[in-house]
Amino acid sequence: MSGRIIEGVSVSWDNIRQCFTLDPAVAHLNHGSYGAVPLSVQRAQQRLHDEMESNPVRFYSVGLTERIAHTRRHLAAFLGADPDGSALVGNTTIGVALVLGSLDLRTGDEIVTTEHGYGAVRLAVEAACARTGAVHRTVPLPLTPTDNEVVTAVTGAVTGRTRLVIIDQITSATARLFPVAHVVAALRAGNVPVMVDAAHVPGHIPVEVADIGADFWVGNLHKWAYAPRGTALFAVAPAWRERVRPLVVSWEQEAGFPARIEWQGTLDHTPWLAAPAGLFTLRTLDLEAVRAHNTDLAAYGQRVVAAALGADAPDGAPGLAMRIVPLPPGLATDLAAASDLRRRIADELGFEVGVNPFHGRGLLRLSAQVYNRASDYDRLAERLPAFLAALS
């Protein structure tokens, strides 16, 4: 990449970090959690905020639903989703809540997830089951399952009472790529609805949502697609579109799907309207070059940090910009300990990383983005072993 113009500034790999407003005193190696909004997108959203505050009545009452629909079509096209069968929502867990609230669960019904599932999704499922008498079945899987192991384990957990299977496309804590299209195909004959949690997919890896064939697919654009936080696309199969109930009934209730899902009165819609600016920035930087840079750098980071810790790090999935490194035994063995360790690494060492427990073992998750350099991971590899040894 050389001489790309963003907001009037010529950007190259040497100065690309100026596209972000991240604290330079911190090494940000955890893009996968909340993303980072480029300055150009921040400015686009600020212009929308200015427009909104200059005349709130006009902003909300004249053409806003059409602007949202136009944005939805733009984002759906990028993801290979049906724009008429998609809705904009705040994040992936909102999409999960919409589905769980539309199933009419009863006592004895079952929802199937895997051990690699996201914690907030697990909590949402457990809350729905407690409320309705349904049963949550969690499929055990090893840290690095093969595609066949994933498909076999998930399909083997399905019974005649299964009302929904939730499967991650890219797992959050363990950074694995799951064969979601194969799971959907395997369950199609039994008419078992499948929801794909694709929180980490948009912008991260190529995707054609329609080809996956899931009943529900939801992915965040504020992680890897440079959108402002609070932007996700929720794609729904035709048979379910009029059955999905909004979390809040609004003036667009009679408009049907997707407007009844998207409209919530005074919700701040500027993150959605600014999201195309994130895709523009991503494409201006060269989407394929960004992905290659991030994938290669994440692999490098995993390699040097694992070597420094003497850890046997699992191979990463091709194309993923997140990698994990097992921590020494006894560290981050549960969620509270993992959260505490992440904070201490940030506060005492100046590195933002992900830390998660899995099967009683702490996992360090490293993400890579264009603002990162190999030297960031070299410095972490130099300082982390002694820090963890002192804790042990």
Side-chain angles (χ1 to χ4, degrees):
M1 177 183 61
S2 177
R4 308 275 178 164
I5 304 299
I6 301 177
E7 287 279 318
V9 176
S10 179
V11 176
S12 67
W13 287 116
D14 292 333
N15 69 353
I16 199 169
R17 278 176 282 190
Q18 72 180 9
C19 294
F20 299 84
T21 56
L22 294 164
D23 183 353
V26 177
H28 300 270
L29 308 180
N30 191 16
H31 187 89
S33 282
Y34 297 101
V37 183
L39 179 59
S40 59
V41 183
Q42 294 180 42
R43 288 172 173 169
Q45 185 182 13
Q46 185 59 55
R47 289 191 288 269
L48 289 161
H49 266 295
D50 293 343
E51 177 192 348
M52 177 172 64
E53 296 305 333
S54 69
N55 191 334
V57 173
R58 180 176 181 81
F59 182 85
Y60 279 98
S61 61
V62 180
L64 182 54
T65 55
E66 290 79 7
R67 294 172 75 176
I68 293 171
H70 176 75
T71 298
R72 182 202 324 124
R73 288 191 291 270
H74 187 96
L75 302 182
F78 174 72
L79 296 171
D82 178 1
D84 295 324
S86 303
L88 296 177
V89 294
N91 55 39
T92 296
T93 50
I94 290 175
V96 172
L98 284 162
V99 174
L100 293 175
S102 302
L103 290 177
D104 293 323
L105 294 169
R106 298 178 181 179
T107 300
D109 288 345
E110 298 174 350
I111 299 175
V112 173
T113 66
T114 80
E115 287 183 312
H116 289 251
Y118 187 57
V121 173
R122 173 181 56 80
L123 293 173
V125 170
E126 290 177 354
C129 290
R131 185 172 62 250
T132 62
V135 177
H136 180 197
R137 294 169 59 91
T138 303
V139 178
L141 286 170
L143 177 60
T144 58
T146 65
D147 286 359
N148 285 338
E149 286 175 327
V150 172
V151 174
T152 300
V154 172
T155 56
V158 169
T159 73
R161 301 301 304 271
T162 302
R163 297 293 310 283
L164 181 70
V165 170
I166 303 178
I167 181 83
D168 297 67
Q169 191 164 355
I170 298 175
T171 65
S172 180
T174 54
R176 308 306 301 174
L177 181 64
F178 277 2
V180 291
H182 293 164
V183 171
V184 170
L187 294 175
R188 185 171 292 124
N191 293 318
V192 178
V194 179
M195 179 170 200
V196 174
D197 178 344
H200 284 275
V201 170
H204 192 168
I205 61 173
V207 64
E208 291 292 329
V209 172
D211 291 347
I212 294 172
D215 298 86
F216 313 98
W217 183 100
V218 60
N220 295 329
L221 286 101
H222 53 251
K223 290 181 180 287
W224 300 92
Y226 295 163
R229 276 168 286 278
T231 305
L233 191 83
F234 175 49
V236 179
W240 286 95
R241 290 171 192 171
E242 292 308 314
R243 298 164 63 183
V244 175
R245 303 180 186 125
L247 300 179
V248 178
V249 174
S250 72
W251 286 105
E252 292 296 317
Q253 178 68 12
E254 300 305 317
F257 186 92
R260 67 163 55 136
I261 302 299
E262 295 171 332
W263 189 261
Q264 293 182 31
T266 54
L267 182 72
D268 183 357
H269 296 90
T270 62
W272 299 354
L273 300 180
L279 297 186
F280 177 81
T281 300
L282 191 58
R283 287 167 169 144
T284 301
L285 294 176
D286 186 337
L287 176 59
E288 294 308 316
V290 168
R291 285 173 171 161
H293 169 275
N294 295 347
T295 300
D296 292 346
L297 189 56
Y300 174 82
Q302 180 193 43
R303 187 164 60 250
V304 297
V305 174
L309 294 178
D312 185 15
D315 292 337
L320 293 195
M322 296 194 305
R323 297 291 185 101
I324 58 170
V325 176
L327 291 168
L331 292 176
T333 56
D334 58 32
L335 187 59
S339 296
D340 181 67
L341 179 58
R342 185 203 63 77
R343 286 193 296 269
R344 293 195 62 177
I345 292 173
D347 294 343
E348 299 176 37
L349 296 184
F351 294 90
E352 288 289 357
V353 297
V355 181
N356 298 285
F358 186 78
H359 286 183
R361 183 74 180 267
L363 301 177
L364 180 75
R365 192 191 70 187
L366 300 173
S367 300
Q369 189 47 258
V370 294
Y371 50 75
N372 295 132
R373 295 293 179 268
S375 58
D376 296 327
Y377 303 91
D378 291 338
R379 289 187 294 110
L380 179 63
E382 180 181 350
R383 300 186 61 186
L384 189 62
F387 179 79
L388 296 180
L391 295 180
S392 298

